[in-house]
Amino acid sequence: MADPINTEKTPDGAAATTGFTTPACSPCDETQPPDCCMVIFGASGDLVRRKLMPALYKLFRCNLLPKGFFVIGAARTAMTDDSFRAETEASLRAAGDFDEGLWAEFSKSLFYRSVTYADHSSYSGIKGALDELAPGRSNGNCVFYLATPPAVYAEISRGIIYSGLRGSGWSRLIIEKPFGSDLKSALALNSELYTNYNEDQIYRIDHYLGKETVQNILMLRFANAIFEPLWNRRYIDHVQISAAETLGVEKRSGYYEQAGVLRDMFQNHMLQVMCLAAMEPPSVYESELVRDERVKVLRALRPFNGDDINDHLVIGQYGEGAIDGSYVRDYRREEGVAQKSQTPTFAAMKLYVDNWRWQGVPFYLRSGKRMKKRFTQVTIQFKGVPHSLFRRALPGEPGPNALILRMQPDERVQLKFHTKSPGGRVCLRDVVMDFPYTLDYMGVTLDAYERLLLDCMLGDKMLFVRSDGMALSWSFLTTVLNLIEERTEHSPKLYKYTAGSYGPAEAETLIQKDGRDWVDYGEDDA
Ligand code: NDP
Ligand code: BG6
């Protein structure tokens, strides 16, 4: 294993001390996982190259992998250990922050075996490698990461069992999204997994839950006395959750054409973030209790029905346009997309949580590809003052206060409020109190995949989706998907929007007819 690295690069390139050597950060030091190994299926793929291997390398650099840790990559493609290492090296170099010495050491723990998922005898290469490498290194513990297209999840889960890959210790299965494509298929996959695994062994990943600032929603709400008394229908007018991407469908059209934005972003990321913003405080910050509270929000979601769907949902698909001055083509002209594709790349949705705290408070959710700016944020928009003292001196009412929890691209918390403007006797202005999330923090930060891989090795399921949560979010969304995909006269229309905009005009109308506006990325914020 490498020595702990003591320096991290700050965004401006300056060296900074990591949390491991900074006593002030010691309460936040990460726990080292027990001895284990990882078998990654789909190891020749994009996710492994772009996210998982860089995440493991970062954990290695931070001395957060167990001492004898090793990875066996597996996929159908024939590759040797050396070619797998060479591919990994290329992707780590491309990601930047590459250290020759550390790589030389890390690469020794990478192996590759090819496999045909339906043929159980073909797992013998993986089994042989495990038998050879595991003694003295993994204590029989293994994380199996399913990073393949979902069609083969069930097959692989069986292959692991029938070819005897499970060791003498614990076995955990990380399942990538999408977990099913509707309620029925998700429940079928769940039952299939339950024939060989119990819920404790299944880690359904939603990488948004691993993002620092998504986790921070709970810290901000429940570690401070000042927000929670206001966090309810008496003081909050509405909540907005926006996840705007500038990227298009990239090379994932095969998957995306079937999924669309509702399956891709809403069933998982958007609803999970909403759960954190809306949930009740658990009595203790403990995995099952936090997951219980997230699930209760999903259970309280008011279902849509055919009659009101158009008041609650707008879907769109990007047309050609420009982002940051560069031309981008129409979704239907992307490689692998049908010329008459009806797949939505944008959705705006108005939701209600039918419980005591949130009765009557709308949650507006919006996500789309090829939008003007990349940003993800939760906005808590408070109600206005009950009585304006300043009405005679002002042209209009002062706007409402807002708390903005920005997750991307810059992680920050902002509070918008009014102060007296210096000068004129009665003159108000809107100001922003701004807290950049990593201000004064020089320690290590883990990105979503780093956090989640570490948590799985530690057996901490708080940031993973439990089966009841998965089923409830599919149950809510399947009704919506059916209403769209049945294509009846009541089905929501698919509106075209210009790439580089914030979605179709109808999405503005959805919120404006309630007398409200979307809060976009503040152009002068960052
Ligand atoms: P890829 O399409 O790159 O597929 C991964 C690997 O799976 C391929 O290298 C291929 O390897 C194998 N594969 C492809 N088709 C099949 C098939 N029909 N049967 C068996 N194996 C197949 O996927 P990604 O890496 O992009 O994604 C993997 C999983 O992670 C997916 O479920 C995806 O939805 C999810 N995900 C991906 C994200 C990303 O950014 N890429 C983000 C979030 C989730 P080989 O041919 O060598 O077997
Ligand atoms: C993935 C979706 O889960 O999340 C992608 O499949 C999307 O389509 C991505 O681009 C967004 O993640 P992030 O972390 O870049 O906001």
Side-chain angles (χ1 to χ4, degrees), residues 57 89 93 97-107:
Y57 177 62
E89 181 181 348
R93 281 184 187 277
D97 230 355
F98 185 82
D99 180 298
E100 301 282 350
L102 286 169
W103 164 249
E105 206 167 334
F106 179 63
S107 64

Side-chain angles (χ1 to χ4, degrees), residues 230 232-238 380-390 396-402 416-418 430 515-516:
L230 307 179
N232 57 55
R233 63 189 298 274
R234 285 187 69 189
Y235 300 102
I236 292 180
D237 177 73
H238 72 279
I380 310 295
Q381 187 90 52
F382 292 95
K383 290 186 171 169
V385 289
H387 168 69
S388 172
L389 272 66
F390 308 106
E397 292 289 318
N401 302 128
K416 295 196 170 188
F417 57 101
H418 318 286
D430 292 343
R516 301 173 174 119

Side-chain angles (χ1 to χ4, degrees), residues 51 176-178 206-208 211 243-245 247-250 252 255-256 263-265 268-269 369 374 376 408 448-449:
K51 300 281 188 189
E176 256 304 334
K177 64 167 278 261
D206 180 329
H207 79 278
Y208 266 53
K211 289 180 190 275
E245 297 186 73
L247 286 181
V249 69
E250 309 305 302
R252 298 174 70 211
Y255 150 75
Y256 199 85
R263 291 182 175 89
D264 189 47
M265 291 294 291
N268 32 67
H269 311 325
K369 293 206 178 281
R374 173 176 182 250
T376 305
Q408 295 177 141
Y449 275 99

Side-chain angles (χ1 to χ4, degrees), residues 303-316:
F304 288 176
N305 62 52
D307 299 334
D308 65 3
I309 184 99
N310 286 305
D311 293 332
H312 291 79
L313 176 71
V314 170
I315 52 172

Side-chain angles (χ1 to χ4, degrees), residues 32-181:
Q32 183 121 18
D35 286 350
C36 64
C37 66
M38 190 173 289
V39 177
I40 305 181
F41 295 95
S44 57
D46 174 72
L47 181 76
V48 177
R49 201 167 42 244
R50 281 193 314 108
K51 300 281 188 189
L52 302 189
M53 296 316 291
L56 288 171
Y57 177 62
K58 168 80 174 286
L59 293 176
F60 176 78
R61 287 177 47 203
C62 297
N63 223 1
L64 284 170
L65 291 178
K67 205 162 167 292
F69 184 81
F70 61 93
V71 176
I72 301 176
R76 299 170 308 176
T77 303
M79 259 196 278
T80 61
D81 292 343
D82 281 344
S83 49
F84 180 55
R85 289 171 188 168
E87 275 211 356
T88 305
E89 181 181 348
S91 58
L92 295 180
R93 281 184 187 277
D97 230 355
F98 185 82
D99 180 298
E100 301 282 350
L102 286 169
W103 164 249
E105 206 167 334
F106 179 63
S107 64
K108 287 185 210 152
S109 60
L110 306 184
F111 303 87
Y112 182 88
R113 297 292 179 271
S114 57
V115 60
T116 305
Y117 300 123
D119 174 6
H120 296 160
S121 67
S122 76
Y123 290 70
S124 59
I126 308 173
K127 167 103 176 96
L130 279 171
D131 288 346
E132 188 189 323
L133 295 163
R137 291 178 75 163
S138 66
N139 207 14
N141 299 325
C142 191
V143 173
F144 296 97
Y145 200 121
L146 274 52
T148 59
V152 285
Y153 289 166
E155 191 70 72
I156 298 173
S157 75
R158 287 191 293 270
I160 291 168
I161 304 294
Y162 300 135
S163 57
L165 298 192
R166 281 198 297 191
S168 52
W170 49 252
S171 299
R172 295 177 186 147
L173 210 58
I174 302 187
I175 313 275
E176 256 304 334
K177 64 167 278 261
F179 193 98
S181 57

Side-chain angles (χ1 to χ4, degrees), residues 30-34 170 172 203 451 453-460:
E30 300 289 350
T31 314
Q32 183 121 18
W170 49 252
R172 295 177 186 147
Y203 288 67
R451 161 91 281 139
L453 288 174
L454 185 61
D455 281 2
C456 177
M457 289 186 260
L458 288 166
D460 185 344

Side-chain angles (χ1 to χ4, degrees), residues 84-373:
F84 180 55
R85 289 171 188 168
E87 275 211 356
T88 305
E89 181 181 348
S91 58
L92 295 180
R93 281 184 187 277
D97 230 355
F98 185 82
D99 180 298
E100 301 282 350
L102 286 169
W103 164 249
E105 206 167 334
F106 179 63
S107 64
K108 287 185 210 152
S109 60
L110 306 184
F111 303 87
Y112 182 88
R113 297 292 179 271
S114 57
V115 60
T116 305
Y117 300 123
D119 174 6
H120 296 160
S121 67
S122 76
Y123 290 70
S124 59
I126 308 173
K127 167 103 176 96
L130 279 171
D131 288 346
E132 188 189 323
L133 295 163
R137 291 178 75 163
S138 66
N139 207 14
N141 299 325
C142 191
V143 173
F144 296 97
Y145 200 121
L146 274 52
T148 59
V152 285
Y153 289 166
E155 191 70 72
I156 298 173
S157 75
R158 287 191 293 270
I160 291 168
I161 304 294
Y162 300 135
S163 57
L165 298 192
R166 281 198 297 191
S168 52
W170 49 252
S171 299
R172 295 177 186 147
L173 210 58
I174 302 187
I175 313 275
E176 256 304 334
K177 64 167 278 261
F179 193 98
S181 57
D182 56 13
L183 180 61
K184 194 170 160 217
S185 57
L187 292 179
L189 174 58
N190 221 38
S191 314
E192 172 69 44
L193 295 177
Y194 279 176
T195 53
N196 292 307
Y197 305 83
N198 58 44
E199 178 64 21
D200 271 356
Q201 296 173 292
I202 302 171
Y203 288 67
R204 296 175 200 82
I205 207 159
D206 180 329
H207 79 278
Y208 266 53
L209 288 176
K211 289 180 190 275
E212 281 275 345
T213 38
V214 172
Q215 294 166 57
N216 186 44
I217 298 174
L218 293 192
M219 312 291 165
L220 189 87
R221 286 185 59 194
F222 302 133
N224 296 297
I226 57 173
F227 298 115
E228 203 44 29
L230 307 179
W231 211 271
N232 57 55
R233 63 189 298 274
R234 285 187 69 189
Y235 300 102
I236 292 180
D237 177 73
H238 72 279
V239 178
Q240 294 183 22
I241 302 173
S242 294
E245 297 186 73
T246 51
L247 286 181
V249 69
E250 309 305 302
K251 292 189 164 44
R252 298 174 70 211
S253 59
Y255 150 75
Y256 199 85
E257 272 283 87
Q258 304 304 315
V261 69
L262 291 168
R263 291 182 175 89
D264 189 47
M265 291 294 291
F266 279 71
Q267 186 271 334
N268 32 67
H269 311 325
M270 299 297 282
L271 287 181
Q272 288 297 331
V273 172
M274 179 181 166
C275 287
L276 295 175
M279 68 184 245
E280 297 299 320
S283 55
V284 188
Y285 191 63
E286 192 271 320
S287 292
E288 287 317 308
L289 299 186
V290 171
R291 301 208 296 175
D292 285 346
E293 296 304 334
R294 293 206 307 258
V295 165
K296 285 182 204 166
V297 176
L298 295 169
R299 197 165 281 134
L301 280 180
R302 187 184 301 171
F304 288 176
N305 62 52
D307 299 334
D308 65 3
I309 184 99
N310 286 305
D311 293 332
H312 291 79
L313 176 71
V314 170
I315 52 172
Q317 186 186 74
Y318 64 82
E320 63 178 1
I323 298 176
D324 288 334
S326 300
Y327 171 80
V328 292
R329 60 186 164 182
D330 191 308
Y331 175 72
R332 290 179 183 176
R333 301 193 64 190
E334 301 275 20
E335 208 179 312
V337 171
Q339 274 178 2
K340 293 187 178 172
S341 171
Q342 292 294 311
T343 303
T345 61
F346 171 95
M349 197 182 262
K350 179 164 75 165
L351 297 176
Y352 286 96
V353 179
D354 279 335
N355 64 16
W356 196 275
R357 183 189 288 255
W358 294 114
Q359 193 51 241
V361 179
F363 284 73
Y364 297 96
L365 274 52
R366 172 181 62 155
S367 177
K369 293 206 178 281
R370 288 286 191 227
M371 294 177 75
K372 185 175 175 190
K373 286 263 176 210

